[in-house]
Amino acid sequence: MATTVWSKGQMLFGYSSRLHRATRRFSESGDKGWFRSVFAHKLDARKDAHSNLLSKKETSNLYKIQFHNVKPECMEAYNSLEAEVQTRLHQNQDYPCEVVGSWNTWYGEQDQAVHLWRYRGGYPALTECLKKLNNDKAYFEFRKERAKMLISRRNQLLLEFSFWNEPVPRLGPNIYEMRTYFLKPGTMIEWGNHWARAIMHRQENNEAIGGFFSQIGDLYVVHHLWAYESLQSREDTRSSAWLKDGWDANVYYTVPLIRSMESRIMIPTKSSPLQ
């Protein structure tokens, strides 16, 4: 099968042409202040931490995301072991935690497992869960066995943006995309302000799963989680967003806030509540 390989120049040209359309639209509308706002944008002095300004007030959910790089020959055994432990924790009401979703990376970093956990009750629930796990002999044995299968692992503690959906179980089959943005320090509030408007353009196909920002671990990191029926559905959905008035502007103003970004296409494991 022939494969089309796009150069960086071609991709940047396509992207810049979209931004050019946004620029032209603003110029034609007579908004002469947009150019100055990009380079000399002023924000009101912050009076609270961005975690309090951007996260949901009606809930106190805390999320943990885990990235496990697995030895290639161990992936099947690793998935079986994780499914067994996750099921046991879900069935035990003494543990105030639940798995939101578990995936294996399909495109992106290979032989990688991604797990998203929710702690209803915030940091106290996390602390309670860790104390109980430290005294759980079966869990201790699980960790010893899992360690034999891993190359490396890392995690982050996250809060969810107030304007995103709360992740709920979903029937499949779906593929999932996790788009991760590494923002410039101090830009989280501005990012949230733009995406609170932008998210309305990405709801028609029920693709928006959840949006999170880091609290502990790598800081000023945002994760957006999307679900699609297929890679072609992903392409069609993302392309249609550019036809909606306002989407181009939100993209245009958020690009300067980003240091770097990455995308993972992920396949849910058999035990994942998000299928």
Side-chain angles (χ1 to χ4, degrees), residues 5 10 25 27 76 78 81 83 96 131 141 146 157 165 180 213 216 223 225 272 274:
V5 179
Q10 288 173 307
R25 189 171 65 83
S27 298
E76 185 175 349
Y78 169 90
L81 184 63
K131 286 181 178 178
E141 293 300 320
R146 185 185 66 182
L157 292 181
N165 311 326
T180 301
F213 58 98
I216 296 178
H223 301 287
L225 186 60
S272 175
L274 286 168

Side-chain angles (χ1 to χ4, degrees), residues 251-269:
V251 172
Y252 185 80
Y253 283 118
T254 53
V255 166
L257 311 180
I258 300 171
R259 290 187 290 115
S260 63
M261 56 186 289
E262 63 182 4
S263 169
R264 289 176 177 81
I265 301 297
M266 309 183 301
I267 304 296
T269 63

Side-chain angles (χ1 to χ4, degrees), residues 173-175 177 202 207 226-230 233-234 237-238:
N174 295 290
I175 63 170
E177 180 177 19
R202 296 295 306 277
E207 71 266 22
W226 310 92
Y228 304 102
E229 293 180 358
S230 64
S233 172
R234 170 187 176 274
T237 300
R238 289 176 55 79

Side-chain angles (χ1 to χ4, degrees), residues 208-220:
I209 300 296
F212 312 91
F213 58 98
S214 62
Q215 282 289 283
I216 296 178
D218 293 333
L219 298 179
Y220 287 96

Side-chain angles (χ1 to χ4, degrees), residues 31-63:
D31 185 358
K32 298 179 181 179
W34 72 267
F35 184 87
R36 183 167 56 251
S37 70
V38 173
F39 297 99
H41 190 58
K42 294 183 179 179
L43 294 174
D44 293 336
R46 281 174 44 189
K47 298 178 176 61
D48 204 348
H50 67 245
S51 59
N52 293 330
L53 295 172
L54 293 173
S55 60
K56 295 180 178 178
K57 300 296 188 298
E58 67 276 12
T59 62
S60 56
N61 293 336
L62 180 69
Y63 291 82

Side-chain angles (χ1 to χ4, degrees), residues 9-162:
Q10 288 173 307
M11 290 189 290
L12 289 174
F13 175 79
Y15 188 69
S16 62
S17 65
R18 288 169 172 171
L19 295 185
H20 174 72
R21 290 198 298 271
T23 302
R24 185 177 60 195
R25 189 171 65 83
F26 281 115
S27 298
E28 291 172 352
S29 68
D31 185 358
K32 298 179 181 179
W34 72 267
F35 184 87
R36 183 167 56 251
S37 70
V38 173
F39 297 99
H41 190 58
K42 294 183 179 179
L43 294 174
D44 293 336
R46 281 174 44 189
K47 298 178 176 61
D48 204 348
H50 67 245
S51 59
N52 293 330
L53 295 172
L54 293 173
S55 60
K56 295 180 178 178
K57 300 296 188 298
E58 67 276 12
T59 62
S60 56
N61 293 336
L62 180 69
Y63 291 82
K64 178 175 70 176
I65 191 167
Q66 298 174 306
F67 300 96
H68 290 173
N69 293 317
V70 183
K71 296 177 182 177
E73 68 273 16
C74 297
M75 184 59 79
E76 185 175 349
Y78 169 90
N79 285 337
S80 297
L81 184 63
E82 277 286 346
E84 178 184 336
V85 174
Q86 290 174 9
T87 299
R88 186 168 69 85
L89 291 178
H90 275 187
Q91 292 174 347
N92 191 335
Q93 298 300 315
D94 290 336
Y95 287 95
C97 64
E98 56 188 339
V99 178
V100 175
S102 286
W103 303 269
N104 292 154
T105 300
W106 185 20
Y107 288 102
E109 194 163 355
Q110 296 295 280
D111 305 309
Q112 184 182 71
V114 180
H115 308 290
L116 183 63
W117 293 79
R118 176 165 47 216
Y119 297 86
R120 295 194 182 274
Y123 289 108
L126 173 67
T127 302
E128 179 186 352
C129 191
L130 291 178
K131 286 181 178 178
K132 289 180 177 179
L133 288 176
N134 286 337
N135 296 314
D136 188 328
K137 293 183 178 180
Y139 187 76
F140 180 74
E141 293 300 320
F142 153 72
R143 291 193 60 174
K144 285 175 58 177
E145 186 65 24
R146 185 185 66 182
K148 302 174 184 176
M149 306 177 184
L150 296 181
I151 298 172
S152 64
R153 60 193 178 98
R154 62 185 175 90
N155 60 21
Q156 294 172 333
L157 292 181
L158 313 170
L159 295 177
E160 57 187 333
F161 284 109
S162 60

